[in-house]
Structures are given as C-alpha cells and as structure tokens.
Amino acid sequence: MKTLYVEGDTFLHRLSPRVKLVALALSSLLLFLTDSPLLLAAAAVCGGCIYASLGLGWRQSLLRLRPILLTIAIVAIFTLVLNSPGQALTVLLRLTALALLAAAVTATTSTGDFIDEITLAARPLERIGLVRAADLGLSIGLVVRFVPEVLTRYHAIRDAHHARGLKPRPLTLAVPLIILTLRNADEIAAAIDARGIRAQK
C-alpha cells in the first residue's frame, strides 16, 4: 500500500509534527490574508525550495504533485474566465504555495503522528461534547493515508481502458473508481468496528 510519507533524515523529518502542523496552519492563514502577487510568488518559491530540500528528485516530485497542480491550474483558468487576470494570478500563486508547503509537511510526517496531533488538538472540542477526538484523528489519518490508494486505483482503471482499446472518459473512470473506493471504505470500517476502536473510551 502506498503512502504519502517519505522516509528520510532531513530537517523537516526531525522537526516536531506539532510545530510543522501549527506552522502550516499559520502559513495558510497568512496566504489568505494577502493579495500581493510579489508576496505570494515569494511564498510559492519558498514552498518549492522547502519541498526540494526533501531530495525526492524532479521525476518523483512531479508524479506526486501533478494531480494537485493540475487542479490548481484548472481553478486558475476558471478564475481567469470569470474574473480578472490579476485575480487568476493571485489564486494560482496562493494555491501553489499552499500545496507545496502542505506536500512537504505530509511527506515528512507519518500517519501515526498526524493522528496523534489531530486527536490532541481536538481534545477541547471533545470536552464540550462536539466531537470525539479519537474518531476525528482517525478519520483525518485515514484520509491522508488513502489518498495515494485512490490515485493508484484511478491509474489502474485508466490503464485498463487503454489495454482494451477504449478511450478513457470522465464518467467511465469515475464510476468504477467511486465503487471501488466505497467498497474499500466499507471494508476498513468493518475492520475498525471488529477491533472495537471506535467503541474505546
């Protein structure tokens, strides 16, 4: 099973998961508080340098970032069509910077650390009865953990279309992807319930 986490001994790997997640949250807030193209461009360059420091190589980095970068490009194009070029540039730079920073944190923080930190952060909400901290941490951890699996299934379905001489279309790709993902989600939920994880206090 693939994972977004990358083994390593870089500065980011050694940095406390809590510090990384807090820094990411503050960076995200600051990125949405400014509309300056210069500041956003500097943030995007900074995010690129931080991600490059992981030493993944250009090919591996492109493979990991391609889905989110394509999504950002589509959002920027829609913004350009519906609004001004300046707003489109702002959206492009802001989301690119945020994606690079988030990718760097995700690649250097294990799923277990994610779950622990989210669970700890949700404790105050649990005290006032809004959520169960353990369930919230587990949910977010599973999302982070299975994003690569969804992408792997998408590529497998697309390759199966090519092997049969069929032209991949959004609908013919989305339907089996959704079915497989939901089936896997049911299996994971059953495994969690069988171990009594959600019943623990």
Side-chain angles (χ1 to χ4, degrees):
M1 186 174 290
K2 292 185 178 182
T3 175
L4 294 175
Y5 177 69
V6 178
E7 294 285 349
D9 191 35
T10 65
F11 172 75
L12 276 180
H13 282 87
R14 297 190 297 271
L15 197 62
S16 165
R18 188 173 307 170
V19 172
K20 287 186 285 189
L21 292 174
V22 170
L24 178 61
L26 292 176
S27 299
S28 303
L29 179 61
L30 292 174
L31 286 172
F32 280 93
L33 288 177
T34 181
D35 290 327
S36 169
L38 289 178
L39 291 177
L40 292 174
V45 171
C46 181
C49 291
I50 292 174
Y51 193 82
S53 70
L54 303 181
L56 297 178
W58 288 105
R59 179 177 175 79
Q60 183 64 22
S61 296
L62 182 60
L63 288 175
R64 292 170 67 89
L65 294 173
R66 182 170 57 184
I68 185 62
L69 292 180
L70 286 175
T71 303
I72 292 172
I74 292 172
V75 172
I77 291 171
F78 272 103
T79 305
L80 178 61
V81 172
L82 300 175
N83 298 288
S84 66
Q87 289 175 309
L89 179 62
T90 297
V91 168
L92 177 64
L93 293 175
R94 178 183 290 134
L95 294 182
T96 299
L98 183 58
L100 290 170
L101 292 172
V105 171
T106 305
T108 58
T109 308
S110 68
T111 305
D113 288 335
F114 264 114
I115 293 175
D116 291 342
E117 294 302 327
I118 296 299
T119 301
L120 182 63
R123 292 294 184 196
L125 298 178
E126 184 176 52
R127 292 191 187 99
I128 59 178
L130 291 180
V131 296
R132 287 193 59 191
D135 287 351
L136 181 61
L138 179 61
S139 300
I140 294 178
L142 287 174
V143 170
V144 173
R145 183 66 181 83
F146 285 95
V147 165
E149 283 298 300
V150 174
L151 292 176
T152 299
R153 288 194 186 97
Y154 167 78
H155 292 143
I157 295 170
R158 184 193 60 188
D159 292 342
H161 276 67
H162 287 305
R164 291 172 173 80
L166 302 175
K167 183 178 180 181
R169 300 180 184 279
L171 185 60
T172 60
L173 293 176
V175 171
L177 179 62
I178 292 172
I179 291 173
L180 289 174
T181 302
L182 291 177
R183 182 182 301 168
N184 190 224
D186 286 339
E187 293 171 354
I188 294 168
I192 290 173
D193 289 336
R195 289 164 175 81
I197 294 176
R198 288 189 287 189
Q200 295 176 4
K201 301 292 185 183

